[in-house]
Amino acid sequence: MDFGVVLQTNPPAARTVQLSQLAEAHGFSHVWTFDSHLLWQEPYVVHSAILGATRRVTVGPFVTNPATRDWTVTASTFATLNEMYGNRTICGIGRGDSAVRVTNGRPTTLKALRESIHVIRELGNSRAVEYNGATLQFPWSRGSKLDVWVAAYGPLALKLTGEVGDGFILQLADLDIAEWMITTVRQAAENVGRDPDEIAFCVAAPMYIGDDTPESRAHMIEQCRWFGGMVGNHVADIVAKYGEGSDVPAALTDYIAGRTGYDYNSHGKSNNDHVDFVPDDIVERFCVLGTAEEHIAKLEKLRALGVTQFAGYLQHDNKEETMRVYGETVIPALTPPVTAKR
């Protein structure tokens, strides 16, 4: 299993770069950042600084979208960063959430998402592509490599992911929901003749290392309750589209009954003051909390379901300590030892 961190590009940018360097030092393979250019600093500028200050980690947005970003500009950004830093970028993409909603926009259609994935991937891999009636290719790009991982929740988005995605991003760590969604993506891949084992499966959720006291548990839950509110935005769209009696697991849909609204100015923040509708048990199910042993136990179960990467959100007050414990205890426990060559 690989491990990533998910950061917000809050100022100062140097702090984001510093956390990325710590992540690399502790053995994380990926550094992801939010992509909402109005709520936080422009991520691609920060990505360049992260890549320049590190040597090994792969860097990308978690996640971008086809609405606020021109597809060809997005692809050019990745291809340029790859030329500068040696194929260390990755593209996480979805229909659009905070980046589009703060401008009163709407998520893109699945058709547009599918088309954008194709255009970004082809150009980002130094290949030609048909776009708006023209054949496009970066004449300066040679040997660029770019995977496109798709963030999805609903049945049709999961189907699209299995059909065209290099990877699947699931932004919650509930075991039952993960099993249903991974199975759905794998089946969609098989239905179009793809090998599902070639798809990366990334589960992303807040990770918080604490002790086993009731006080510590309560603090961890409160620090990560924002995540249930963020997931609730996507769930609300699914319920509106498919209804409450759909194939979507009840564990994903039932808890939003008390949801009254959402303020994106508090998006992804531990002090979010309008997520009281998210119950403690949902925070526990959706996140990875507790001692190192508890983290290892849950991540082992996710790995058994086919998860190939766990990406931990660090929007809380214990960033450095959580990364340290992961580097010293959690990651080694879930990473095969390197066999010395004779």
Side-chain angles (χ1 to χ4, degrees):
M1 180 182 278
D2 290 333
F3 290 84
V5 295
V6 185
L7 306 173
Q8 286 178 344
T9 53
N10 292 308
R15 169 66 168 157
T16 307
V17 174
Q18 178 193 46
L19 290 171
S20 301
Q21 291 174 309
L22 280 174
E24 180 174 73
H26 288 307
F28 291 87
S29 61
H30 287 67
V31 172
W32 304 91
T33 72
F34 284 49
D35 177 11
S36 292
H37 59 287
L38 290 171
L39 296 176
W40 304 288
Q41 291 179 319
E42 171 56 37
Y44 293 117
V45 176
V46 181
H47 289 177
S48 187
I50 293 171
L51 288 162
T54 57
R55 295 185 299 169
R56 179 182 52 82
V57 289
T58 298
V59 179
F62 212 83
V63 295
T64 193
N65 71 86
T68 60
R69 303 283 185 183
D70 179 274
W71 310 348
T72 62
V73 175
T74 296
S76 180
T77 300
F78 288 118
T80 300
L81 291 173
N82 282 341
E83 188 278 325
M84 294 172 67
Y85 301 107
N87 287 333
R88 289 169 53 206
T89 67
I90 189 167
C91 179
I93 194 168
R95 293 176 58 214
D97 181 37
S98 58
V100 297
R101 296 186 195 271
V102 293
T103 58
N104 291 324
R106 295 176 61 84
T108 61
T109 64
L110 289 175
K111 180 177 183 291
L113 177 60
R114 183 186 296 268
E115 292 173 352
S116 72
I117 290 168
H118 177 65
V119 170
I120 292 169
R121 180 163 50 208
E122 294 307 294
L123 291 174
N125 282 279
S126 301
R127 297 191 291 258
V129 68
E130 297 295 318
Y131 177 65
N132 282 347
T135 300
L136 306 179
Q137 187 170 11
F138 300 135
W140 46 266
S141 180
R142 298 286 186 275
S144 177
K145 296 185 182 301
L146 179 70
D147 280 353
V148 181
W149 292 10
V150 186
Y153 287 105
L156 292 179
L158 294 170
K159 178 175 179 290
L160 179 152
T161 302
E163 292 172 349
V164 304
D166 296 310
F168 166 46
I169 293 173
L170 170 57
Q171 295 174 77
L172 55 82
D174 180 88
L175 296 172
D176 295 333
I177 296 171
E179 181 176 17
W180 175 75
M181 291 191 175
I182 290 171
T183 299
T184 301
V185 171
R186 291 180 66 88
Q187 186 61 57
E190 291 177 355
N191 289 345
V192 296
R194 299 186 69 198
D195 182 356
D197 290 337
E198 294 182 356
I199 300 173
F201 290 91
C202 175
V203 160
M207 57 179 181
Y208 196 119
I209 291 287
D211 59 42
D212 57 2
T213 64
E215 294 78 13
S216 177
R217 201 79 189 183
H219 181 73
M220 287 186 284
I221 289 172
E222 207 55 45
Q223 282 284 301
C224 298
R225 197 180 304 277
W226 65 267
F227 186 67
M230 186 185 81
V231 172
N233 297 318
H234 303 285
V235 174
D237 287 345
I238 294 170
V239 171
K241 182 176 179 62
Y242 297 100
E244 296 182 359
S246 68
D247 292 336
V248 180
L252 183 60
T253 60
D254 287 353
Y255 83 96
I256 67 166
R259 181 179 182 270
T260 58
Y262 193 80
D263 180 2
Y264 276 90
N265 290 311
S266 300
H267 189 60
K269 296 181 179 180
S270 60
N271 62 351
N272 191 320
D273 61 0
H274 54 281
V275 292
D276 291 344
F277 70 93
V278 181
D280 290 0
D281 69 304
I282 286 293
V283 181
E284 292 271 15
R285 292 183 65 163
F286 285 12
C287 303
V288 184
L289 312 176
T291 63
E293 292 72 25
E294 288 178 289
H295 284 244
I296 292 167
K298 186 166 187 177
L299 293 171
E300 284 179 336
K301 292 176 182 177
L302 286 167
R303 182 172 62 177
L305 294 177
V307 174
T308 58
Q309 181 179 144
F310 172 67
Y313 286 90
L314 285 173
Q315 285 65 56
H316 55 62
D317 61 3
N318 199 32
K319 298 176 179 64
E320 285 88 351
E321 177 65 7
T322 293
M323 283 197 287
R324 183 191 68 79
V325 174
Y326 261 71
E328 294 180 1
T329 305
V330 179
I331 293 177
L334 289 144
T335 304
V338 177
T339 302
K341 294 182 179 180
R342 295 184 178 180

